[in-house]
Structures are given as structure tokens and as C-alpha cells.
Amino acid sequence: MSSPLPPPATPPHPVPPGNVGAILAALAAASTRPRYAFLVLGLIAEAARADGHAGPWVRAGEGERLALRDWLARQLVPLAARDRRRAALRAKVAARIGSDDDAAIDEALAAEALAVGRANVSRAVSDLVRAGLVRRHYAGRVTDHVNRGGRRLAVYAVEPPVLNAIRSRPVLV
């Protein structure tokens, strides 16, 4: 006989009221990289529709459509462009592909940086979910699905009070 399923996990913190300070406090409690997670939250809010849902696809330019996680990773690439680790990564990529062609190295470096960026975004979104700021599910070709894999893509939903706080404009006096 199997044991009953545990109740669904609830976030350790209630969704903060509609102010950025409370959001930062929730992130500081739930994340080892709260500033990075806050950047990801801001980008998700930027991509979100009026109902707070972002994804699975985002328009990246004229006629270009990207998966949400790829779009987020691309938006965050400039943060790593001056990172001291980038030079070491470039040398490692050049040694791996065995080429002195700058264009080939740049292309391989961009692909690797995007892969690392997608992993970083996934970790940040897990922190956002843990903090109770974002909900995550996966959309497939035919139906929505709670499990990832099977060619399903991430959809992130920003909680309404959080979305209002991020999108609100401060009143200048």
C-alpha cells in the first residue's frame, strides 16, 4: 500500500505586498543571488502580458520568435560580456574547437554563453518560485502541462501584486 501524496508545496513567504522593498526582502530570504533573480523578475514582468503570464514564446525582433528562457538568457548576456571569466572561456573554446578563426571562436563562445545563461535563468526562476513571486508551468504543442520535457516550453506567471509593484512608476515630487 502506498502512502498518500504530500500536500502541494507552499512558498515559505507569502506574496509580498505591492512594493519593491518587500519583493527584495523575499528574494534575499529565498535566493543566494537575489540581485540576479530580481533582474530576471524584471525581464519576465517586461515580457508578461496583462494577466502576468510570459511565454512560451517572446517576440525578439521583426519576425523573430524565441522561447522565453532563450530570450531571457539573451537579454542577460551583456552582463557577462566583461566578466573576467569570459577570457578564460574563450581560450577553452578555442582549444576545444582547434581553430584560430575568430569568427568560429566567437560563434562557439556565443553558443556556450547562451547555454550557461539558460541554466542561470532556470536557477533564478527556481528562486523566484521558492520566494512565491512567480509560478511556473510548461506549455506543449497541444496542451499545457505541469511537467517539463517532451518539447514543452516554460511559461512564467508573475503574481499580480508583484507585477503591479514592478510595473508601477514612482511619483516624483
Side-chain angles (χ1 to χ4, degrees):
M1 187 162 40
S2 66
S3 61
L5 293 174
T10 57
H13 311 285
V15 175
N19 71 61
V20 174
I23 292 168
L24 290 173
L27 279 175
S31 176
T32 57
R33 296 172 36 176
R35 287 175 285 209
Y36 186 81
F38 187 74
L39 285 171
V40 172
L41 176 62
L43 288 170
I44 293 170
E46 179 182 321
R49 298 179 293 277
D51 65 356
H53 287 75
W57 300 103
V58 176
R59 291 210 186 282
E62 288 207 27
E64 187 179 19
R65 193 171 82 141
L66 290 173
L68 177 59
R69 197 167 53 134
D70 291 343
W71 180 81
L72 289 167
R74 273 194 190 180
Q75 297 301 308
L76 293 165
V77 163
L79 293 178
R82 296 187 299 160
D83 191 328
R84 66 183 182 280
R85 292 175 290 186
R86 183 58 65 102
L89 181 60
R90 182 178 182 80
K92 188 169 81 172
V93 166
R96 188 180 67 230
I97 66 173
S99 172
D100 290 334
D101 180 23
D102 281 340
I105 293 171
D106 287 343
E107 186 176 327
L109 182 63
E112 187 143 342
L114 188 59
V116 169
R118 283 195 307 260
N120 287 337
V121 164
S122 290
R123 280 192 291 277
V125 170
S126 292
D127 291 345
L128 293 169
V129 169
R130 191 174 21 262
L133 305 173
V134 170
R135 286 176 286 118
R136 169 177 42 199
H137 71 276
Y138 297 89
R141 285 191 307 162
V142 179
T143 62
D144 286 347
H145 201 281
V146 295
N147 297 320
R148 62 180 162 197
R151 298 181 191 236
R152 290 182 274 279
L153 300 169
V155 176
Y156 306 136
V158 181
E159 295 295 338
V162 175
L163 187 63
N164 289 338
I166 297 290
R167 287 186 171 174
S168 69
R169 303 277 185 235
V171 176
L172 300 177
V173 184

